[in-house]
Amino acid sequence: MKELLSQLWTPELQMATTVVVVCLVVLYILSIIWVVRDAYLRGTMWYAWAIVALIPLLGVVAYCLLRPPLLQIDRDEQELEIALKQRQLMNYGECANCGYPVESDYVLCPNCHQRLKNQCAKCGHALDPSWTVCPYCATPLAGVAARRAGRTSMPQQAPAAGDMSEHSARHTR
Ligand SMILES: [Zn+2]
Ligand SMILES: [Zn+2]
């Protein structure tokens, strides 16, 4: 029996066994490093997972099953994307009357013709209701200060109103 064993236990087999054992040890160490790194990147308690990973094979399997689904970097990226979309929405926005998507320099809603903004009488640019001067041509905007003081809900510039709506209607076509 011993003779048979010594016959089987050749230097080649010894060598192969050593290689396999070394590979397993390296794999074990790498798995612990991977678990710690992955848990850290996912923003969890990586030190707790490091202890779990010390259990050979089972620790890594348990981590793969129970790890949080998102990487911290991905989560940051998602938040950034949401913020970007919100900024885009602010830029484009929608009509307060019918919800139709409108761009920031629209004067009139192309869908329901609700007035969204005033228009500069001189250069025709869309103006924010809170501005007191046209930022495109430096024309002081008469009536804005008075409107601010009075806080009338829907500003209608009396003399130029007809002329303006005709102008914007031409734009929307
Ligand atoms: Zn509308
Ligand atoms: Zn202007």
Side-chain angles (χ1 to χ4, degrees):
M1 182 67 189
K2 242 189 175 163
E3 226 168 80
L4 189 78
L5 217 81
S6 64
Q7 255 182 358
L8 279 171
W9 196 239
T10 56
E12 287 82 18
L13 194 69
Q14 232 173 320
M15 186 69 181
T17 311
T18 312
V19 167
V20 167
V21 167
V22 166
C23 277
L24 281 175
V25 168
V26 167
L27 264 176
Y28 171 62
I29 292 166
L30 280 178
S31 76
I32 293 168
I33 292 169
W34 175 78
V35 166
V36 169
R37 205 175 154 271
D38 197 71
Y40 178 75
L41 284 175
R42 279 164 202 260
T44 53
M45 304 174 297
W46 60 269
Y47 31 85
W49 281 116
I51 294 162
V52 173
L54 287 177
I55 308 161
L57 196 66
L58 274 179
V60 177
V61 171
Y63 178 73
C64 285
L65 290 174
L66 300 170
R67 66 180 180 175
L70 260 183
L71 284 170
Q72 186 70 48
I73 296 164
D74 289 343
R75 226 179 291 163
D76 288 349
E77 218 164 74
Q78 229 178 30
E79 271 166 28
L80 214 76
E81 221 166 84
I82 290 166
L84 211 79
K85 275 205 185 122
Q86 274 172 345
R87 270 189 66 178
Q88 265 178 355
L89 266 180
M90 266 168 68
N91 214 351
Y92 293 100
E94 45 187 44
C95 170
N97 192 39
C98 69
Y100 192 84
V102 290
E103 283 183 29
S104 59
D105 57 350
Y106 280 13
V107 175
L108 213 77
C109 170
N111 189 41
C112 71
H113 296 191
Q114 165 84 33
R115 176 165 287 277
L116 303 168
K117 272 176 180 157
N118 293 313
Q119 208 171 19
C120 177
K122 194 174 168 194
C123 70
H125 269 107
L127 303 173
D128 194 281
S130 60
W131 293 346
T132 55
V133 66
C134 173
Y136 300 99
C137 69
T139 304
L141 302 170
V144 171
R147 224 186 298 129
R148 245 194 213 160
R151 268 273 163 246
T152 46
S153 55
M154 204 54 226
Q156 282 287 340
Q157 277 186 334
D163 170 40
M164 274 199 293
S165 53
E166 190 204 330
H167 190 82
S168 14
R170 227 185 301 135
H171 259 291
T172 51
R173 232 175 266 144

